């Protein structure tokens, strides 16, 4: 079992920055990938960024955030960060941390409780 706790959300003006944190209850080396998703009421959950630890920390970003968002990890702190710059009102959402871990042939998924990000215009 992996527990994920997000923090760092809040209210920010357009053009501002926020850094979200996802603290894992275990070493991130034991996790295959960790990603950030966001959810707006009435819309589908959207993948924002993912870091693939099992693939040498390769990263992928949604087109809507490329160039503005950076995902990174600090294994000493078992934490993954999402640095968001040049925020736009359309970035407003609840942001969730998600982790996947393969155990044998079974893939397990874990979710955090979410953190609200609100960008005012």
């Amino acid at each position: 079992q992996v527990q994920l706790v997000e923090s760092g959300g809040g209210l920010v003006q357009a053009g501002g920055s926020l850094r979200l944190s996802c603290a894992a209850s275990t070493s991130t080396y034991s996790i295959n990938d960790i990603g950030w998703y966001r959810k707006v009421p009435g819309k589908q959950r959207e993948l924002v960024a993912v870091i693939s630890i099992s693939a040498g920390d390769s990263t992928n970003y949604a087109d809507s955030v490329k160039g503005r968002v950076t995902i990174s990890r600090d294994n000493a702190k078992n934490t993954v960060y999402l640095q968001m710059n040049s925020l736009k009102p359309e970035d407003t959402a609840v942001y969730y941390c998600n982790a996947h871990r393969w155990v044998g042939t079974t893939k397990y998924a874990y979710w955090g409780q979410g953190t609200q990000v609100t960008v005012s215009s």
Side-chain angles (χ1 to χ4, degrees):
Q1 186 79 351
V2 178
Q3 276 136 12
L4 305 171
V5 178
E6 302 101 331
S7 61
L11 174 64
V12 64
Q13 286 190 330
S17 298
L18 280 175
R19 188 176 79 160
L20 306 184
S21 300
C22 173
S25 59
T26 185
S27 169
T28 55
Y29 281 116
S30 70
I31 298 170
N32 292 92
D33 60 74
I34 296 182
W36 286 94
Y37 289 75
R38 63 188 181 187
K39 179 74 171 68
V40 176
K43 292 188 177 181
Q44 285 194 327
R45 186 171 54 200
E46 174 190 26
L47 175 65
V48 177
V50 61
I51 183 165
S52 181
I53 298 157
S54 60
D57 283 3
S58 65
T59 57
N60 276 295
Y61 298 93
D63 287 342
S64 58
V65 303
K66 275 181 184 174
R68 301 188 296 119
V69 165
T70 302
I71 188 170
S72 62
R73 73 180 178 109
D74 183 341
N75 194 59
K77 297 181 179 180
N78 297 340
T79 299
V80 170
Y81 301 101
L82 189 71
Q83 177 67 45
M84 302 190 293
N85 301 322
S86 302
L87 283 163
K88 305 175 181 180
E90 50 264 43
D91 293 318
T92 295
V94 178
Y95 284 70
Y96 296 91
C97 183
N98 164 262
H100 291 107
R101 181 161 67 177
W102 284 92
V103 180
T105 58
T106 303
K107 185 178 182 180
Y108 293 89
Y110 305 94
W111 291 91
Q113 82 287 352
T115 186
Q116 176 71 47
V117 170
T118 303
V119 184
S120 62
S121 57

